[in-house]
Every structure is written in structure tokens, then in C-alpha cells.
Amino acid sequence: MKYNQLGKSDLKVSEICLGTMTYGQQNTIEQAHEQLDYSIAQGVNFIDAAEMYPVPTSAETYGLTEAYIGEWLKRQQRDRLIVATKIAGPGRGFKWVRGGAKAIDRDNIKQAVDDSLKRLQTDYIDLYQIHWPDRYVPRFGQTVFDPTQVGETVPIAEQLAVFDDVIKAGKIRYIGLSNETPWGVAQFSNAAKQLGLPKVVSIQNAYNLLNRVFDGALAEAVYHEEIGLLAYSPLAFGFLTGKYLNGKPEKARVTLFENFGQRYLKPKVSQAVSAYIEIAKRHQLSPAHLALAFVRSRWFVPSTIIGATTLEQLKENLESVNVVLDKDILEELDIVHAQSPNPAP
């Protein structure tokens, strides 16, 4: 396991981050702790959660992921771990999240942080992320910006000022963005510089062989602002393993939860997946190892977020750190990408 600096922070994160959004829905507390124990034993020091987890979110399961982690975290040496979580933003209709008041404003930030600290059973959060912007943006498979959807939003400078207070209180160490745009990255960065407020050190967006949108304007933005991408969905909800090529397997996430992962059900996905799997076969690699090693090879990715519902899946995903793709394989992947660019943006 290698460790990389996260943006301009002093956090050294493992190149694999353990995602936990299945804890409390598809994984019991015992299974969650087994995954956490195994991951740490393999050198993972970075754990990512969110207040709204598990997913799909519901009033009955809200907060369970953090609670499961908290029961485990209280028995760990805290300063050896980097714990990240997120505040849910507006626009998703989750009435059970903080009473339905989800603006990224002073009252909501303070309540969300305090609630997460309580569930996680810790005194501080290393990386606190805005799960999706307070303002309207196309998200989760949407690709077209609609000006008619623009409405009131909490000014970015105001959001940063609250986070500044929470950092000074010792409750969080650094802040990050998630599901953000190049405009958003620029606005947060400029406001921080101009007003002397906390700088964003990370962005958590989807990135995989089927969705390389980040390669363009977002890559430029994070390069100049020295922000690291925490790539989520590196296996594209498991589609890049090939398990959905011949239908929907029993107990798979897309099988269990209707309308889940819609971006991966678009017309050209299967064609691209088949091509990537052929490359893996030619080079005697598992499709999962190929997909994860690709994401890990990107210069803007200090850590790749993996999630698994079984320990066997987790083991295979973690073994991908031993795979380094050479120039020839990367060129083959680029050829497929040129033929089927971003079929699941």
C-alpha cells in the first residue's frame, strides 16, 4: 500500500480508501467490522462515510453507516486513521435528514458535524465534505445544465466561513467537495484565497473507464488549485467486472434496488465493458484489477474509493494495488475510450 498527500493538507492517505455506503443496508454491523479490520490489516488508513448513508437512503437506516463505524472506531488508535464523512445538501427530498432542513448554512453545518461526531464516537473528523453542492447543478448521470432550475443558494463564502469556525473549534481538520463542477472548484478556491478562509483539499467525484469526464476541465481546475480527486465508483457499480453483461445477478445492487445506477444502463455501456474485459483477458488480469489499476494510475487521484458487499470482493479489490498498468495497456484502454467516449457520464 502506498500513501499520498491529499491536496495541500498534511493528510497522507492510503491509495485505496474504504467506502462504506452499504453498511446498514446490505452489510450487518458484524460484516462492516470484518471489512474494516481486514482493510486496516492490509494497510488502508482512509475510511469514507456520509451522514445520509447507507444507500439507498431511508428514514429507517439514516445514520447507520456512521454508527457502525463508530462502534468500531472507539476501539482503534484514532490518530492512525483518516476518517472522512459528508454533509447532505438540499435538493434530494430527504425529509428525515435533520428534519428536512438541508441547506449548507451555519445551523445545518453545525448540527450535521455534531451529529456525525456523535455517531462516529470521535472528537474530530479528518476530512469533512459537502456531499453535493448547495446550489443547483446537474448530478448523478445528468449532463445538461438547465438555467430554469437555478434558485436561491447559500453563498460559497458564507459556507466557508462556517467551516472556518468549525475547524477552529477542533471538530474537523480539512474540508472537501463532492459531485462538484469546475465552476464550483474555482469559486471555492477563489473565495478561500480572497477572504483567508479554509482551502478545499479534495473533490470526490465519479471516475472510471466508463466515465472519464473528469479528464477535461475538472482536471485543469484541480491541477491549478492543488486538489486531489477521491475517485468513487471506480468499478462503475460493478459493471466493469462484467457481471451485468448477461443480465442482473441475484443480490447485485442494481438487481436489488430499482432505478439504482441509472447512468450505467445507457446504450453503449455494454459495448465498452466488453472491450475492456477483452483487454483484461489478453493481459491475464481480472477485469476488476484492470479497472482499479487504471483509476489509480491517474496523476490527479491520491486515493481510490472501493466498496464491497462481501469480504471476497473486498479482498480482490485490495489486491489491485499490486497491479501496475504499462504504457501498452494504457494505450489500449485509450483506444477503446476514443471509440466509446464516456458512455456513462
Side-chain angles (χ1 to χ4, degrees), residues 25-309:
Q25 176 65 260
Q26 291 174 270
N27 290 107
T28 65
I29 190 170
E30 293 79 14
Q31 292 169 335
H33 291 182
E34 184 180 38
Q35 287 194 14
L36 287 158
D37 287 338
Y38 184 83
S39 298
I40 300 308
Q42 303 308 307
V44 171
N45 72 346
F46 193 15
I47 302 162
D48 181 67
E51 67 165 338
M52 63 162 274
Y53 287 173
V55 173
T57 187
S58 70
E60 292 72 30
T61 61
Y62 168 57
L64 278 183
T65 297
E66 287 184 331
Y68 284 11
I69 294 170
E71 285 298 314
W72 175 85
L73 191 59
K74 69 181 182 182
R75 302 192 299 271
Q76 310 303 314
Q77 187 175 331
R78 179 65 181 87
D79 60 1
R80 296 184 63 184
L81 299 170
I82 295 170
V83 177
T85 194
K86 313 178 195 77
I87 180 173
R92 300 294 299 281
F94 300 150
K95 298 185 185 303
W96 52 87
V97 178
R98 284 173 274 114
K102 297 176 287 295
I104 310 298
D105 59 16
R106 183 168 296 275
D107 289 343
N108 275 287
I109 290 172
K110 288 190 170 183
Q111 183 184 345
V113 169
D114 287 344
D115 290 350
S116 285
L117 288 170
K118 184 176 180 180
R119 287 189 292 263
L120 290 167
Q121 301 192 50
T122 185
D123 296 327
Y124 65 94
I125 295 162
D126 297 282
L127 177 66
Y128 196 69
Q129 304 153 100
I130 300 173
H131 206 152
W132 55 87
D134 183 88
R135 67 190 192 280
Y136 158 75
V137 295
R139 62 172 74 96
F140 307 120
Q142 299 173 346
T143 57
V144 177
F145 180 83
D146 180 2
T148 67
Q149 298 298 311
V150 175
E152 292 185 8
T153 184
V154 179
I156 284 172
E158 183 179 328
Q159 296 177 48
L160 286 174
V162 181
F163 286 121
D164 186 37
D165 291 343
V166 180
I167 289 172
K168 288 175 178 175
K171 294 182 179 182
I172 61 176
R173 297 175 65 191
Y174 295 99
I175 57 172
L177 305 173
S178 181
N179 300 301
E180 253 302 355
T181 68
W183 187 87
V185 170
Q187 292 297 308
F188 272 94
S189 298
N190 289 339
K193 292 172 189 174
Q194 292 171 7
L195 302 173
L197 294 171
K199 176 177 170 52
V200 166
V201 301
S202 65
I203 178 172
Q204 184 176 149
N205 279 32
Y207 187 79
N208 54 59
L209 284 167
L210 301 176
N211 178 5
R212 294 173 57 175
V213 173
F214 199 95
D215 287 342
L218 272 165
E220 178 190 17
V222 301
Y223 172 78
H224 289 294
E225 301 302 335
E226 299 180 277
I227 293 171
L229 170 64
L230 305 177
Y232 76 77
S233 289
L235 294 178
F237 267 54
F239 278 80
L240 283 166
T241 67
K243 67 181 182 180
Y244 292 107
L245 284 177
N246 298 309
K248 295 180 179 179
E250 186 180 355
K251 295 185 179 180
R253 197 173 304 163
V254 174
T255 307
L256 291 173
F257 307 114
E258 190 177 356
N259 298 323
F260 210 42
Q262 289 295 304
R263 67 171 63 172
Y264 302 114
L265 301 177
K266 295 180 179 180
K268 296 185 179 181
V269 167
S270 293
Q271 175 185 338
V273 169
S274 296
Y276 290 127
I277 288 176
E278 284 303 313
I279 293 174
K281 288 179 180 177
R282 272 201 306 277
H283 295 278
Q284 299 181 318
L285 294 170
S286 81
H289 284 180
L290 177 75
L292 291 169
F294 166 76
V295 174
R296 216 177 68 250
S297 74
R298 305 294 89 183
W299 60 265
F300 44 74
V301 178
S303 190
T304 303
I305 302 173
I306 63 169
T309 52

Side-chain angles (χ1 to χ4, degrees), residues 3-19:
Y3 302 87
N4 301 311
Q5 183 178 359
L6 184 59
K8 290 291 287 182
S9 75
D10 64 356
L11 302 177
K12 287 281 191 178
V13 296
S14 50
E15 59 186 327
I16 296 291
C17 172
L18 181 63

